[in-house]
Amino acid sequence: MVKHAVAFWIIMILAVFGLYVNIRLGRWDALIFPLILGGLIFWFYKRPPRALTGRHPKVKPSKATMAKLERSKSGHKPGQTMNKRKSYPFHVIEGQKKSKNDDELPKYH
């Protein structure tokens, strides 16, 4: 990283020295290219082309996302969501094992 900074500042010093020499000698035609190049760099810095701005393709939202957006637009509060879970307590489903008789097992182990 330091090497890049050193190279950058050396190039800047040489560019300023070159501009100073050209102005001092009165060679204004040699300044046209650097001025145009500097102007283009400044222009593209302030207004980058659309291809470089990172435009991404538009993605169509899902039905669930659209429904959520519609609920938020209609004034529906986020705390008033519909409860999708069943309201009754834990329910045990009886198994169908046939290898052991429940009558022969003692009540307490």
Side-chain angles (χ1 to χ4, degrees), residues 16-28 30-31 35:
V16 169
F17 180 71
L19 288 173
Y20 172 75
V21 169
N22 283 331
I23 291 172
R24 182 110 169 139
L25 294 176
R27 294 190 295 184
W28 296 101
L31 297 175
L35 289 175

Side-chain angles (χ1 to χ4, degrees), residues 11-58:
I11 291 171
M12 286 294 121
I13 290 170
L14 289 174
V16 169
F17 180 71
L19 288 173
Y20 172 75
V21 169
N22 283 331
I23 291 172
R24 182 110 169 139
L25 294 176
R27 294 190 295 184
W28 296 101
D29 56 340
L31 297 175
I32 292 173
F33 180 72
L35 289 175
I36 291 174
L37 186 62
L40 284 174
I41 290 172
F42 181 75
W43 175 264
F44 285 126
Y45 177 74
K46 287 296 186 180
R47 300 178 190 261
R50 290 187 188 266
L52 300 177
T53 57
R55 281 181 65 190
H56 300 289
K58 186 174 181 180

Side-chain angles (χ1 to χ4, degrees), residues 74-94:
S74 66
H76 191 271
K77 294 182 181 177
Q80 297 175 343
T81 59
M82 292 179 52
N83 192 2
K84 292 184 180 181
R85 293 182 173 254
K86 297 178 182 178
S87 60
Y88 54 87
F90 182 76
H91 180 69
V92 177
I93 300 172
E94 294 293 328

Side-chain angles (χ1 to χ4, degrees), residues 99-107 109:
S99 64
K100 294 184 179 179
N101 291 333
D102 289 335
D103 296 335
E104 295 177 4
L105 291 175
K107 286 187 171 184
H109 298 283

